[in-house]
Amino acid sequence: MERPNERRRLPPLNALRAFEAAARHLNFSRAADELSVTPGAVSQQIQNLEDYVGAALFKRTPKGLLLTDAAQTALPALREAFDRLAEAASLLTAAVDGRRLTLTAAPSFAAKWLVPRLGKFEQAHPQVDVWLSAGMEVVDFATGEVDMAIRYGSGRYPGLEVIRLMHETVVPVASPELLEQNALERPEDLAHHILLHDGSPDADDSCPDWAMWLAARGVKGVDGARGPRFNQSSLVIEAAANGRGIALAKRTLAQADLDSGRLVIPFEASTAVDFAYYVVHPKAKGRLPQVKAFVNWLSAEAEAHEAALLTMDNGSGI
């Protein structure tokens, strides 16, 4: 029978770290720079590991280093093991500091939907401090620095726990003051308005721009390519609310301004898109009480938001 101490007998961690870095860079000097040691130290650690496993891990060729078959076979599992170690370390930190919840979200979603609601969560869970980072980059959960993220996308996020929050539709919006000055009763009237363009990098082919929206409705005589362009959905919504022109807006993000009367929908012509909003996190993070509490609260807020929209649209959907 295999004894526990035999089963857990492992090479030195420093040797494994040196091998993983050298295998990733295929260069001892770059691995040394990453690990803040000398190339000689990396070479010595690789030698120690080769002595331990009884096989060469690198081939020295005139063009540089190559991995041996054994090294190529073991490397993916080793990388996964380091990712899990980093995750475990982050869980230890979170267990010690259970007050902190770190999450990321796209800037427009954070500003227009999430931040105005966060006070409710803070009142219900005063023991949790939410650290929110707004950005478009996809977070690397392997570092362990972020507990969860809210993403707008297709819902395919391999290796993560995924919960759909809300779907999305696109509607034309404008300020009521602008429409008082220049009526907009049918799509053809857009020829007399400035079109505002949402240039956010969503990569959703189903989300219409003005040219697609006009073509789908057979509207002639309106140049769908003209007009200012903004790289964030929140910016195009603000431009419309300030009377700059007519925007095609994501309704979830524009709804607060519609509720307040800063924006109106001049004619009902909504377009459902394929992308939706999702909350994602590593499975291990889901065990943290602050993550559980936030996911439950977020899901309830999203459900209430969608129910309110359905009621507002007389049950016909959006």
Side-chain angles (χ1 to χ4, degrees):
M1 180 180 294
E2 187 179 49
R3 297 175 182 174
N5 62 331
E6 292 176 345
R7 186 170 62 247
R8 291 184 177 274
R9 183 171 172 266
L10 296 171
L13 182 61
N14 284 340
L16 292 172
R17 288 182 64 211
F19 165 66
E20 192 278 333
R24 185 162 19 91
H25 293 291
L26 288 178
N27 185 290
F28 283 5
S29 294
R30 287 199 287 272
D33 289 341
E34 178 182 314
L35 299 173
S36 299
V37 297
T38 66
V42 171
S43 180
Q44 183 60 53
Q45 292 289 359
I46 297 300
Q47 182 63 55
N48 292 342
L49 188 59
E50 289 178 332
D51 290 343
Y52 179 91
V53 301
L57 300 174
F58 292 93
K59 302 174 186 176
R60 278 77 172 175
T61 73
K63 293 184 178 180
L65 291 178
L66 294 176
L67 293 176
T68 63
D69 291 344
Q72 287 180 337
T73 300
L75 184 58
L78 181 59
R79 285 177 174 163
E80 181 181 354
F82 275 118
D83 288 344
R84 296 192 66 178
L85 279 173
E87 185 177 278
S90 72
L91 288 175
L92 286 173
T93 302
V96 173
D97 184 11
R99 292 184 59 89
R100 190 175 73 190
L101 171 72
T102 57
L103 71 148
T104 68
S108 293
F109 182 85
K112 287 293 186 181
W113 195 89
L114 181 59
V115 170
R117 291 170 166 80
L118 274 181
K120 298 179 185 177
F121 177 79
E122 292 164 353
Q123 289 177 359
H125 302 275
Q127 76 281 8
V128 179
D129 294 329
V130 177
W131 290 20
L132 171 61
S133 175
M136 297 302 293
E137 65 278 1
V138 175
V139 65
D140 180 7
F141 284 110
T143 65
E145 296 176 358
V146 177
D147 297 320
M148 55 185 292
I150 301 171
R151 294 181 178 170
Y152 179 67
S154 64
R156 294 186 291 273
Y157 305 107
L160 299 175
E161 293 286 311
V162 181
I163 301 171
R164 191 190 77 86
L165 294 176
M166 297 171 287
H167 70 284
E168 186 58 282
T169 59
V170 171
V171 293
V173 297
S175 73
E177 294 79 12
L178 178 64
L179 298 187
E180 286 178 4
Q181 300 168 12
N182 192 353
L184 181 58
E185 298 178 355
R186 57 197 185 101
E188 286 74 13
D189 294 336
L190 288 167
H192 309 297
H193 287 270
I194 295 174
L195 302 183
L196 307 176
H197 299 267
D198 184 345
S200 52
D202 295 334
D204 180 7
D205 293 337
S206 72
C207 186
D209 57 20
W210 272 118
M212 295 165 59
W213 190 93
L214 293 165
R217 287 157 181 79
V219 179
K220 307 293 185 182
V222 181
D223 187 349
R226 294 291 306 275
R229 184 173 297 271
F230 303 86
N231 75 335
Q232 293 289 338
S233 297
S234 58
L235 297 180
V236 75
I237 290 171
E238 281 301 307
N242 283 284
R244 289 282 306 280
I246 316 298
L248 283 177
K250 295 180 177 70
R251 182 164 180 177
T252 294
L253 305 184
Q255 192 58 47
D257 292 303
L258 290 167
D259 292 340
S260 70
R262 293 182 73 216
L263 289 173
V264 296
I265 300 174
F267 33 74
E268 194 56 47
S270 64
T271 303
V273 299
D274 293 339
F275 278 16
Y277 299 96
Y278 297 89
V279 58
V280 300
H281 59 77
K283 186 175 182 179
K285 292 283 189 179
R287 304 189 192 106
L288 298 176
Q290 62 266 43
V291 171
K292 289 181 181 178
F294 196 81
V295 170
N296 290 338
W297 170 81
L298 195 62
S299 297
E301 285 292 313
E303 183 178 352
H305 172 84
E306 290 205 313
L309 291 183
L310 286 172
T311 301
M312 195 178 304
D313 294 321
N314 299 316
S316 61
I318 59 173

